Amino acid sequence: MVTAREAREAAAAAMDASKYVRYTPEQVEALERLYYECPKPSSLRRQQLVRECAVLASVDPKQIKVWFQNRRCREKQRKESGRLQSLNRKLAAMNKLLMEENDRLQKQVSHLVYENGYYRQQTHSAGLATTDTSCESVVTSGQQNGVVVVPPPPPRDASPAGLMSIAEETLTEFLSKATGTAVEWVQMPGMKPGPDSIGIIAISHGCAGVAARACGLVGMEPAKVAEILKDRPLWLRDCRSMEVVNVLPAGSNGTIELLYMQLYAPTTLAPARDFWLMRYTSILDDGSLVVCERSLSTKQGGPSMPLVQPFVRGEMLPSGFLIRPSDGGGSVIHIVDHLDLEPWSVPEVVRPLYESSAMVAQKMSMAALRYLRQVAHEDTHSVITGWGRQPAALRALSQKLTRGFNETLGGLADDGWSVIESDGVDDVCISVNSSPSKLMSCNATFNDGLPMVSTGVLCAKASMLLQDVSPPSLLRFLREHRSQWADSSLDAFFASALKPNFCNLPMSRLGGFSGQVILPLAHTFDPEEFLEVIKIGNASNYQDTLMHRDLFLLQMYNGIDENPMGTCSELIFAPIDASFSDDSPLLPSGFRIIPIDSPLDTSSPNCTLDLASTLEAGTPGSRMTGHSRSGSKAVMTIAFQFAFESHLQDSVAAMARQYMRSIISSVQRIALALSSSHLVPHGSSRLLPPVTPEAATLSRWIVQSYRFHFGAELIKAADAGSGESALKALWHHTSAILCCSLKAMPVLTFANQSGLDMLETTLAALREMTMDKVLDCEQGRKSLLCADLMASVAEQGYACVEGGTCASSMGRPASYGKAVAWKVLDDGGAGAAHCVCFAFMDWSFV
């Protein structure tokens, strides 16, 4: 509600604005300079700036105030106009894409109607003899001496003409899949097209192999899009290598490439895949750029490639990318991935992974679109993420984590791995790598100048079957409750990757680490993937000074959404040096869970579980959310790496085997607690933290102080009676409520569930953030806005901001309709100031 004072100021400003003021060019230049130095000055600051500028000495201060207001309005209008124009171009391009998809669907419907009528006719006339004379017609190219000349079929060999024939056939088949009806496409469950969606995602139905199709709009030129998409290891994390064996020119501005590609296996239960491909790049008559691929075999003709052990040769059916320039700028992309992954060659328990089109869509088609959209966003916006890292550097780190984990699971001899004989008790596989390239990652010299003397890396890995448990819920619990499965030995071995001669310590001295803080780092190009740094406190009393340091783990956590099909959940981490340089050596370890059957009911209600009471450990009141359906299955793969010295190989191997069995036992216990048979239905996923006397008292003070300053109720009066009920009401409040200290650098001390969602962080990591990092108006002005708000709160006890943007811990912008801040007083107004509370209303991610 507008106060009388604000109404008088608005009327006076309007009256002053109605007066015609003519400024000289020097005065306009001075005003513009002052505006960019301080766009929202206070009255005293504005008067001080005017006094320092002699050119404006003759101008009425009220007119200068009106000029500043008008200038800010014009700036807002310009930004809003640019945003709306950009959104309009995006919507127009998306509308055109949807119209094309509608035309394709109409053709598919017509084709199905024709087939249906044909089959009905065949059914009715089953007793009649029918003769098909369609084959009697012969296409001729000419006649010589009365003899019909039939053109010879095009060659299909390794010659340039033979490869060109295969390329043209591949192009035709690919276009019929991308824009035609060669494959019956159905919309992927959970994917809805729209201006903010990744695009139109479809999967195949009833065709040979597994196929996925994606259509989307990205803000890049077609040539750059093709360059990125052709470099498959850049965006496809499962791609181990891709080698261009030969390049041949083809037609005008076209090329034919022969490729050999290897893909990692997602689990330890099946071998990796490789492909022998031909890639054809050309430009169509309408200016569209086409990159199409297919496997070469004895069936298609062309050159052959010998089989490579231990890979299983897969087949890529005509696939590729169709890239067309968009009228509003950027490119419209059609992606088709059609594979035959030879599911007969894998155990039956993981065969659904190799028969899932949704898995191909998530790992290949959608991953390509996400990567392109992220790169396009970085090209048009200056993006600096957590800890001052550029997005490209963060992508490189996540790529190193995933590739290192995949390499560990594969255990290929080409990478230097050799298997140690098992003791025959279980399926834990122990392998050793002593290759020079692997040792360079361990024997790196860090900031302390002391090199490692490791002579090898040992890996312990195993796979297990999970039933009736939600993979995101299980990994979320493993992430937030490390003490439930990790012991001090694991952290000590992680430290060995960073500290020289650590492995010389006796086995009995391993341990003594306690405490864990999750420091959010950033989102990667996948919106459901987080990079974070885990800080593990050292609580030991060792005399060795090398042990008296905190441990840091770089961790990647993805697959957090419960609903999408074809997704896998991963928790991968690696020890890093405290300097956290981009070229830090990484020995990734962790967990990967892949569902092996699709959920039948994605709308099942969320459930909650008090794991503290179920597991008889952990923080009191800690709870988990998740859902699963009875009979759901998933494969969990676990792998851990340890650096060691040669004379300790046997002892480290025995310890790693014992530790892996301990982890498997812990995971089974946690999965049993999280399974659907133990879940208790609950209507809400916003779970109350442990109610302590301090939290209840703070909640009561927040509510009373809000009533004191604004004369209104923040929560229902019935909930404000006791501290516990006030805490519950604040925790479930729709506004993002944050509390910060009264220091010069205001540190966040409390946030409700909505606030944690907006900041994309946890209560444990909240104290690592400051309020000036949250308030994000324009580049370089965050601290100014924070200082102004804190000054207003200190002067009058409260402050209001009409709309704006703030930033999460991942650097993601979030808009809010209104923000209010007030001073929290002890005893609801009678005591001293305790902290400052902020409430961000109607917030949403931009």
Side-chain angles (χ1 to χ4, degrees):
M1 181 178 294
V2 179
T3 63
R5 177 182 176 184
E6 292 174 343
R8 287 194 300 271
E9 289 181 352
M15 184 177 297
D16 291 336
S18 63
K19 298 178 181 178
Y20 179 76
V21 180
R22 188 179 186 87
Y23 297 102
T24 65
E26 292 80 9
Q27 291 174 339
V28 172
E29 182 180 356
L31 288 172
E32 290 286 348
R33 185 172 64 253
L34 293 178
Y35 175 79
Y36 282 105
E37 291 178 358
C38 188
K40 293 183 178 181
S42 62
S43 299
L44 295 177
R45 177 58 177 162
R46 187 167 51 248
Q47 294 174 9
Q48 179 184 359
L49 293 173
V50 171
R51 285 195 300 269
E52 294 175 356
C53 186
V55 179
L56 301 177
S58 60
V59 183
D60 187 358
K62 292 183 178 180
Q63 295 176 347
I64 294 179
K65 178 181 179 181
V66 172
W67 187 92
F68 267 77
Q69 292 175 343
N70 292 338
R71 183 65 176 80
R72 286 196 296 269
C73 289
R74 291 196 300 270
E75 185 74 13
K76 289 182 179 179
Q77 290 174 352
R78 184 186 64 81
K79 290 183 178 180
E80 184 66 12
S81 176
R83 188 186 69 83
L84 292 177
Q85 290 178 3
S86 176
L87 181 60
N88 185 55
R89 289 193 298 267
K90 186 176 181 180
L91 289 174
M94 185 61 70
N95 182 60
K96 183 178 179 181
L97 188 61
L98 289 174
M99 291 175 63
E100 293 176 354
E101 180 69 8
N102 185 56
D103 292 340
R104 190 195 64 79
L105 291 174
Q106 288 181 353
K107 292 179 182 178
Q108 183 173 340
V109 169
S110 301
H111 181 70
L112 293 175
V113 170
Y114 172 78
E115 284 189 344
N116 185 43
Y118 173 77
Y119 288 132
R120 282 186 178 182
Q121 182 181 2
Q122 292 295 317
T123 302
H124 288 299
S125 58
L128 299 178
T130 57
T131 304
D132 185 4
T133 59
S134 58
C135 59
E136 295 179 0
S137 59
V138 178
V139 179
T140 63
S141 61
Q143 193 171 10
Q144 295 179 358
N145 299 325
V147 179
V148 176
V149 179
V150 179
R156 301 178 68 88
D157 51 25
S159 65
L163 290 175
M164 191 63 200
S165 173
I166 300 174
E168 293 291 348
E169 179 182 329
T170 303
L171 174 62
T172 303
E173 293 188 32
F174 161 68
L175 292 178
S176 67
K177 296 177 183 179
T179 60
T181 59
V183 173
E184 182 180 350
W185 301 109
V186 295
Q187 182 174 312
M188 186 170 173
M191 304 300 299
K192 296 182 179 180
D196 297 324
S197 68
I198 188 175
I200 303 172
I201 312 299
I203 56 179
S204 62
H205 174 68
C207 74
V210 288
R213 176 178 172 269
C215 306
L217 175 69
V218 295
M220 286 194 298
E221 295 302 317
K224 185 174 183 181
V225 171
E227 179 184 357
I228 293 176
L229 292 179
K230 291 171 72 172
D231 189 3
R232 194 173 263 114
L234 188 66
W235 52 267
L236 181 57
R237 294 181 176 179
D238 288 343
C239 184
R240 179 176 182 263
S241 64
M242 189 177 71
E243 178 185 358
V244 179
V245 179
N246 195 9
V247 180
L248 301 172
S252 58
N253 300 324
T255 57
I256 293 177
E257 300 167 278
L258 301 181
L259 311 174
Y260 177 65
M261 180 176 68
Q262 294 178 344
L263 298 183
Y264 288 110
T267 71
T268 61
L269 302 177
R273 264 51 183 166
D274 67 347
F275 297 85
W276 172 237
L277 306 172
M278 184 203 66
R279 181 164 65 194
Y280 177 42
T281 305
S282 64
I283 300 177
L284 301 182
D285 295 337
D286 60 357
S288 300
L289 183 59
V290 179
V291 180
C292 54
E293 301 170 321
R294 81 173 306 157
S295 290
L296 293 176
S297 64
T298 55
K299 184 190 303 181
Q300 283 82 29
S304 60
M305 165 70 74
L307 297 178
V308 179
Q309 295 296 331
F311 292 89
V312 173
R313 182 64 50 85
E315 181 181 2
M316 178 179 290
L317 286 78
S319 308
F321 322 106
L322 172 62
I323 310 167
R324 297 181 303 184
S326 175
D327 296 336
S331 303
V332 176
I333 307 171
H334 296 256
I335 301 175
V336 173
D337 293 297
H338 194 174
L339 305 173
D340 184 354
L341 297 174
E342 304 294 339
W344 57 266
S345 63
V346 301
E348 187 175 355
V349 66
V350 294
R351 195 166 297 169
L353 299 182
Y354 295 81
E355 298 173 340
S356 171
S357 295
M359 186 72 69
V360 174
Q362 289 282 358
K363 285 186 168 292
M364 300 183 69
S365 310
M366 295 174 62
L369 274 184
R370 287 195 184 104
Y371 188 89
L372 289 171
R373 288 167 66 96
Q374 179 66 25
V375 173
H377 178 75
E378 294 165 9
D379 289 344
T380 55
H381 300 78
S382 177
V383 181
I384 301 294
T385 55
W387 294 32
R389 287 296 197 276
Q390 293 285 347
L394 294 176
R395 285 200 305 271
L397 287 174
S398 63
Q399 184 90 344
K400 286 174 65 176
L401 282 173
T402 306
R403 287 184 64 87
F405 189 73
N406 285 332
E407 177 190 319
T408 303
L409 294 185
L412 299 175
D414 289 350
D415 296 325
W417 292 100
S418 59
V419 179
I420 299 179
E421 291 187 6
S422 172
D423 57 7
V425 176
D426 53 21
D427 293 331
V428 176
C429 177
I430 304 293
S431 54
V432 176
N433 194 328
S434 301
S435 62
S437 59
K438 193 71 173 179
L439 294 179
M440 286 178 62
S441 299
C442 305
N443 298 332
T445 300
F446 295 92
N447 289 345
D448 52 15
L450 299 173
M452 281 285 296
V453 291
S454 300
T455 57
V457 176
L458 184 141
C459 170
K461 56 188 176 182
S463 294
M464 56 187 295
L465 182 66
L466 301 175
Q467 288 186 304
D468 301 337
V469 65
S470 164
S473 297
L474 177 55
L475 279 196
R476 193 182 304 121
F477 183 84
L478 297 177
R479 167 179 174 262
E480 297 177 358
H481 302 82
R482 190 179 186 87
S483 61
Q484 292 292 331
W485 56 268
D487 61 15
S488 55
S489 299
L490 174 65
D491 295 330
F493 271 110
F494 278 158
S496 70
L498 300 178
K499 300 176 176 59
N501 300 325
F502 182 85
C503 290
N504 291 335
L505 294 174
M507 289 292 187
S508 60
R509 295 178 60 186
L510 295 176
F513 294 89
S514 63
Q516 166 187 334
V517 178
I518 300 177
L519 308 176
L521 189 58
H523 280 277
T524 62
F525 69 89
D526 188 337
E528 296 175 10
E529 181 176 277
F530 300 91
L531 270 181
E532 50 198 15
V533 174
I534 308 300
K535 178 182 177 182
I536 302 177
N538 186 344
S540 66
N541 295 319
Y542 298 153
Q543 298 300 320
D544 194 333
T545 57
L546 294 174
M547 295 291 293
H548 291 171
R549 294 189 296 181
D550 290 331
L551 303 180
F552 294 91
L553 305 177
L554 176 65
Q555 181 166 277
M556 182 182 69
Y557 171 50
N558 61 21
I560 62 176
D561 199 331
E562 300 275 0
N563 293 328
M565 298 175 58
T567 58
C568 69
S569 301
E570 294 176 322
L571 184 68
I572 303 174
F573 42 84
I576 57 174
D577 188 43
S579 63
F580 188 25
S581 59
D582 292 340
D583 56 350
S584 297
L586 299 179
L587 288 181
S589 304
F591 309 87
R592 173 182 292 162
I593 309 178
I594 308 177
I596 56 177
D597 54 355
S598 302
L600 296 178
D601 182 13
T602 58
S603 61
S604 58
N606 288 343
C607 304
T608 64
L609 172 68
D610 189 344
L611 281 176
S613 60
T614 304
L615 301 175
E616 299 180 357
T619 306
S622 62
R623 294 177 178 177
M624 281 298 304
T625 63
H627 73 269
S628 61
R629 65 180 182 87
S630 178
S632 62
K633 297 179 182 179
V635 171
M636 183 178 201
T637 302
I638 311 171
F640 285 84
Q641 295 190 78
F642 310 95
F644 68 93
E645 297 183 33
S646 58
H647 65 281
L648 292 177
Q649 176 175 327
D650 294 339
S651 59
V652 172
M655 185 180 190
R657 192 184 304 277
Q658 180 181 0
Y659 183 71
M660 182 61 66
R661 293 169 181 166
S662 173
I663 289 180
I664 293 175
S665 177
S666 299
V667 169
Q668 289 174 339
R669 179 168 51 92
I670 296 171
L672 180 63
L674 287 169
S675 65
S676 58
S677 58
H678 290 73
L679 291 175
V680 181
H682 195 283
S684 173
S685 62
R686 294 172 174 257
L687 303 170
L688 192 66
V691 180
T692 62
E694 295 81 5
T697 301
L698 176 62
S699 302
R700 192 177 71 253
W701 288 349
I702 291 173
V703 174
Q704 294 174 352
S705 299
Y706 185 89
R707 185 191 307 119
F708 175 78
H709 289 298
F710 296 101
E713 295 292 342
L714 180 62
I715 61 177
K716 294 180 180 179
D719 296 329
S722 65
E724 184 173 350
S725 60
L727 174 59
K728 183 177 181 180
L730 282 179
W731 184 257
H732 296 291
H733 203 282
T734 56
S735 300
I737 298 176
L738 313 176
C739 290
C740 66
S741 61
L742 290 169
K743 300 178 182 178
M745 186 66 71
V747 178
L748 294 179
T749 58
F750 172 78
N752 67 345
Q753 179 64 61
S754 183
L756 295 177
D757 292 342
M758 185 182 75
L759 297 180
E760 298 184 295
T761 187
T762 62
L763 283 173
L766 191 64
R767 291 182 178 273
E768 302 291 334
M769 299 182 62
T770 56
M771 202 64 205
D772 65 320
K773 297 289 183 63
V774 176
L775 295 173
D776 181 21
C777 285
E778 296 180 16
Q779 198 67 23
R781 299 174 185 172
K782 292 184 285 187
S783 57
L784 180 63
L785 176 61
C786 183
D788 290 345
L789 283 175
M790 297 298 285
S792 299
V793 171
E795 180 181 352
Q796 61 184 10
Y798 64 92
C800 301
V801 178
E802 291 294 337
T805 59
C806 58
S808 73
S809 61
M810 304 295 181
R812 187 153 58 144
S815 63
Y816 55 87
K818 182 180 181 180
V820 294
W822 66 97
K823 190 184 300 183
V824 177
L825 306 173
D826 297 355
D827 298 326
H834 182 271
C835 63
V836 176
C837 190
F838 289 79
F840 297 87
M841 306 174 185
D842 302 325
W843 71 270
S844 63
F845 286 116
V846 178

